[in-house]
Every structure is written in C-alpha cells, then in structure tokens.
Amino acid sequence: DLKIEPLRGNLDTRLRKLDEGLYDAIVLAAAGLKRLRLEARIRAVFEPDVMLPAAGQGALGIEVRTDQVEVTQALAPLIHHETWLRIAAERAVSRVMGGSCSMPTAGAASRLGRCVSQAAAGAGVAAGAGHRFGGCRSIGSAGGRRTQDNRADAGRQFDASAAPG
C-alpha cells in the first residue's frame, strides 16, 4: 500500500528524515540533487509519461527591465528557441488550469517530429485524493497570435477533460 505523507524542510532536512527511517521513500528533483553533487542518492528517475514535472521545471529565466535594451541584446544569444516554445506552452496550460503556489499543476511540452516550431503540451492536475485528473495535447507553431490561440485551446481542452464526472 502506498501512503503519501507531507514532507517539509530543505533538502538536507528531507534527506535526514529519509535516513532516519521516517519515510520509506521520498520524491525530489533530480536536477537539484545533481547540482548539489548528490547523484548517488538518486534511485530512480520518473519519465514524463509516468509523472509529469511542474510546468517550466528546470528552465532558467532571466528577467530584464524593458528599458535595458543593451542588456537584452547581450543576452539574446542565450535564448534557446525550442526550450522557449516548450516553456511557453507549459506555462500557458498551467495558467489556464489556475496553477499557483497553492494550486500545484504539472505539464511537459515536447517537440513533434523534426520541426522545432511546433510544440505539444500535456498537462495533469490532481486535487483532493486524486479525484481530478485530466490531460490534453495541443500543437502550436512558433510565435505570433496563432501559437497563443493554440496554447489557450490546450488549456481549455485540459480544463474540460479534468472536469469532475
């Protein structure tokens, strides 16, 4: 039987609680463990078809004031177009689902075929004891109004499929 329990504290606290036997297993972000050189603690990695990550998980964002044109231009080479498309799709679906600090959502976008200008977004949300779960898949092209429409459609599709019933 699987029993899900709340787990609070920073990474060291969570790992200590695991080591002390307070939990049989805990789920942590592999990227964080790797960043802290704790790869040896990783026992398994969930693929997105088993457990979706939080929307935008692992992406680095840099915010620049609009009046800082030189800074924006200097950072432009760092933009990875495919990552930007994926994160934009994931965030749009999360936004339509009402994702926030108090309403966790998950989503993973992926490229379809060889075309970098297309993205598919899948999303999931669980509420209560898993009583609400839905999913969607939507294809959007790079930039412009059409992509925004497709991302909004993905969110609406998800919202409809996750309705109680």
Side-chain angles (χ1 to χ4, degrees), residues 71-131:
V71 175
T72 301
Q73 290 172 345
L75 294 173
L78 300 178
I79 296 171
H80 186 260
H81 185 68
E82 183 174 344
T83 300
W84 182 89
L85 283 173
R86 289 179 182 195
I87 299 309
E90 292 173 14
R91 290 181 69 197
V93 172
S94 180
R95 191 170 30 258
V96 171
M97 292 186 320
S100 68
C101 294
S102 60
M103 176 56 173
T105 60
S110 60
R111 183 172 64 157
L112 296 176
R114 294 182 182 197
C115 186
V116 176
S117 65
Q118 293 186 339
V125 62
H131 294 124

Side-chain angles (χ1 to χ4, degrees), residues 29-94:
L33 290 167
K34 290 176 184 177
R35 190 170 40 255
L36 295 171
R37 298 188 178 149
L38 295 171
E39 298 95 337
R41 301 295 305 250
I42 299 171
R43 299 291 177 258
V45 175
F46 293 108
E47 295 299 324
D49 61 335
V50 174
M51 180 184 291
L52 286 172
Q57 186 69 37
L60 173 64
I62 301 174
E63 191 167 338
V64 180
R65 291 193 334 245
T66 56
D67 64 342
Q68 297 295 307
V69 177
E70 288 181 23
V71 175
T72 301
Q73 290 172 345
L75 294 173
L78 300 178
I79 296 171
H80 186 260
H81 185 68
E82 183 174 344
T83 300
W84 182 89
L85 283 173
R86 289 179 182 195
I87 299 309
E90 292 173 14
R91 290 181 69 197
V93 172
S94 180

